[in-house]
Amino acid sequence: MMMLKNLLVCLLFISVNAGAQNYTPTDAGSKVHFVIKNFGINTGGDFTGLKGEISFLPDDLAACKFNVTVATSTVDTDNQMRDKNLAGGEYFDAAKFPVIQLTSTKIDKTNKTTDGFYYFTGNLTIKGITKTISFPFQAKKVNGDFVFTGNFEIDRTTYNVGEKNIVLSNKVEVSLSVTAKKS
């Protein structure tokens, strides 16, 4: 009887955890892009060095978790002098704060009637400052992996990024297209 009980517990544990799907974000196929006005002209750049863990269960959103980082030293605006300046202390301070981190606290369905659209609520940490952000995103399954896409806006000055620079807009638009491989 004890053996049967243990077998049932094991089967229950396996069936409950069978849906757990873990993914690892990759630079290959991903883009973490930002746009900011500099002297009134849109200037953009990208980050690489994606790392982290994603647990994504479309049928169990309460079990979903995102914990993803990019390396601040990888900022690339197609201008080496500007990139070096952005990685410096006034902006991202890559030596002291090597990553920007995005961590979920809640994933919900959106009001769209089609599958694949969700709502992210979580924390964005830049230069050691953490703020809550929310934005809609889409999850598309591609060959057993996922591509997550979404856009959000932040105020750079709330993260002490270039707070003394008056020629930059405070508003930064961020767009994500993150390929996550099944772990």
Side-chain angles (χ1 to χ4, degrees):
M1 185 69 163
M2 185 64 140
M3 186 184 301
L4 180 59
K5 184 177 177 183
N6 287 342
L7 179 62
L8 289 174
V9 169
C10 285
L11 288 174
L12 179 62
F13 180 77
I14 289 168
S15 67
V16 166
N17 289 308
Q21 296 182 12
N22 295 313
Y23 299 87
T24 302
T26 65
D27 280 330
S30 295
K31 190 160 188 109
V32 177
H33 185 72
F34 65 91
V35 174
I36 187 169
K37 287 192 184 286
N38 185 10
F39 284 107
I41 299 168
N42 280 347
T43 303
D46 300 298
F47 288 98
T48 56
L50 274 165
K51 292 190 186 313
E53 300 170 345
I54 297 171
S55 293
F56 189 68
L57 309 162
D59 296 329
D60 185 6
L61 297 180
C64 293
K65 299 218 182 311
F66 290 75
N67 183 7
V68 180
T69 63
V70 292
T72 53
S73 64
T74 67
V75 63
D76 182 2
T77 63
D78 289 330
N79 180 317
Q80 287 183 341
M81 192 163 51
R82 179 174 42 221
D83 297 345
K84 185 177 177 181
N85 195 31
L86 288 173
E90 184 181 345
Y91 294 91
F92 292 110
D93 198 355
K96 187 173 180 184
F97 302 102
V99 298
I100 294 172
Q101 183 174 27
L102 184 64
T103 307
S104 65
T105 55
K106 186 177 183 181
I107 304 297
D108 286 314
K109 280 272 197 193
T110 64
N111 58 0
K112 290 192 181 260
T113 57
T114 55
D115 284 338
F117 291 91
Y118 304 92
Y119 203 75
F120 177 98
T121 301
N123 296 313
L124 178 64
T125 303
I126 302 173
K127 289 183 78 173
I129 298 169
T130 302
K131 301 286 182 184
T132 299
I133 64 167
S134 298
F135 60 91
F137 73 95
Q138 186 175 17
K140 286 186 182 179
K141 195 144 195 173
V142 180
N143 299 326
D145 300 326
F146 269 99
V147 176
F148 301 98
T149 56
N151 301 297
F152 60 91
E153 199 175 275
I154 61 169
D155 180 338
R156 68 177 173 84
T157 62
T158 64
Y159 295 96
N160 294 336
V161 175
E163 63 270 18
K164 294 178 185 173
N165 190 321
I166 59 172
V167 299
L168 285 178
S169 171
N170 291 349
K171 181 178 81 168
V172 180
E173 297 171 15
V174 179
S175 61
L176 305 172
S177 179
V178 176
T179 298
K181 302 281 186 189
K182 196 167 187 176
S183 302

